[in-house]
Amino acid sequence: MIQHPADQPPAPARVFPAAAGTAALAEHVLGTGHGHWWSDRAERPRVVAVSCAGHTLLAGDPTAIVPGALAPFAGQCVEAADRFLPALGAAFPRLTPWERMLYVQRVEATAPAPPWGVTVRPVEAADAPALGALDPGMAWIHASWGGPAGLAGSGHAWGAFHKGRVLALACGRFTGSAYEDVACVTHPAERRRRLALACVVGLTADIRARGRTASWCCSRDNRPSRLLAWTAGFRLAREYTHYVTGPVSRASRLPYAA
């Protein structure tokens, strides 16, 4: 596969429509410059892909590529039509299906009052060092923005802060023209304090003010994430499956399910 810059997608990139969930990835890459486009050949490509932060959308004619061409997508969560499954199965030693649930916000939720001493507010560019100091298990959240500084300066994140430390964070992980897909993390020691809910409510109010709709994706077996989504006003839109490509195991991708 030939790699293309984020701002120079191959001609058939329009096969990825503006949609909720990680489907917003294509618009996010084009709009932010974080990520890559791919095609099987430079002229009149038959297969196109777009990748960012460990996720890949794949489309086109799978019979037009040999399994080795998919090597750049090892260790990724790949979304593709079922017709790609034989090619993906032949390309990787492990291909693990992962059942997912896509929610769209339908109800405006009320933010809980933060605990004493905690401030819940939009993240600013000056917060980049605090985001850089996140617990390693939380650091995946800024990958789609190129790192802590990119997310801090994006205008697409809310955080719960205490004495300059980030306790919880919610952001538009993939942002499109119609939908912004929300992700959130909470420091393990700060869970059950409703900090993530407060961040998500603040963030989704901003998303509505931008004239867009918030979406939410999580693993089907991640009950805490599903409950948080429901409490924040998200309602189930559809269920789907994406595939984790070996040699990376599904377990290594579980932080994204939070």
Side-chain angles (χ1 to χ4, degrees), residues 98 137-138 140 184-185 222 250-258:
W98 197 352
M138 300 165 62
W140 59 268
C184 70
V185 292
N222 191 333
R250 169 180 165 173
S252 69
R253 310 225 51 97
L254 282 177
Y256 173 62

Side-chain angles (χ1 to χ4, degrees), residues 3-257:
Q3 183 176 304
H4 303 266
D7 61 347
Q8 298 178 28
R14 61 182 179 276
V15 299
F16 302 113
T22 49
L25 184 157
E27 286 189 300
H28 180 83
V29 172
L30 188 60
T32 68
H34 300 297
H36 298 285
W37 297 90
W38 306 79
S39 66
D40 66 314
R41 58 189 184 187
E43 300 295 329
R44 302 180 66 182
R46 299 157 296 178
V47 177
V48 293
V50 59
S51 59
C52 179
H55 285 261
T56 296
L57 307 181
L58 186 61
D61 177 9
T63 65
I65 53 174
V66 296
L70 299 176
F73 311 127
Q76 300 270 313
C77 296
V78 177
E79 293 182 39
D82 288 347
R83 63 179 179 273
F84 272 93
L85 291 181
L88 288 167
F92 302 104
R94 182 185 297 112
L95 186 65
T96 307
W98 197 352
E99 294 180 324
R100 310 286 294 174
M101 304 186 80
L102 168 63
Y103 295 82
V104 173
Q105 191 177 45
R106 302 297 187 194
V107 180
E108 293 185 24
T110 301
W116 185 87
V118 176
T119 301
V120 178
R121 60 168 174 80
V123 173
E124 303 171 350
D127 295 318
L131 268 61
L134 285 171
D135 181 273
M138 300 165 62
W140 59 268
I141 197 166
H142 49 59
S144 64
W145 292 95
L151 179 56
S154 70
H156 289 270
W158 275 62
F161 296 84
H162 178 64
K163 295 182 178 180
R165 178 168 166 260
V166 181
L167 307 183
L169 186 68
C171 74
R173 195 175 191 214
F174 299 122
T175 58
S177 58
Y179 295 93
E180 297 189 23
D181 197 54
V182 173
C184 70
V185 292
T186 304
H187 191 281
E190 304 296 336
R191 291 173 182 167
R192 301 182 184 275
R193 302 180 72 193
R194 309 188 81 194
L195 299 177
L197 176 61
C199 294
V200 170
V201 171
L203 174 65
T204 54
D206 282 356
I207 292 172
R208 289 193 300 274
R210 287 190 281 269
R212 300 171 182 169
T213 301
S215 65
W216 181 287
C217 295
C218 67
S219 173
R220 186 177 183 183
D221 56 10
N222 191 333
R223 188 170 181 270
S225 185
R226 290 166 56 188
L227 288 174
L228 176 56
W230 180 270
T231 305
F234 292 81
R235 300 296 180 261
L236 183 64
R238 70 180 180 91
E239 299 183 43
Y240 68 101
T241 300
H242 68 201
Y243 295 85
V244 182
T245 57
V248 175
S249 69
R250 169 180 165 173
S252 69
R253 310 225 51 97
L254 282 177
Y256 173 62

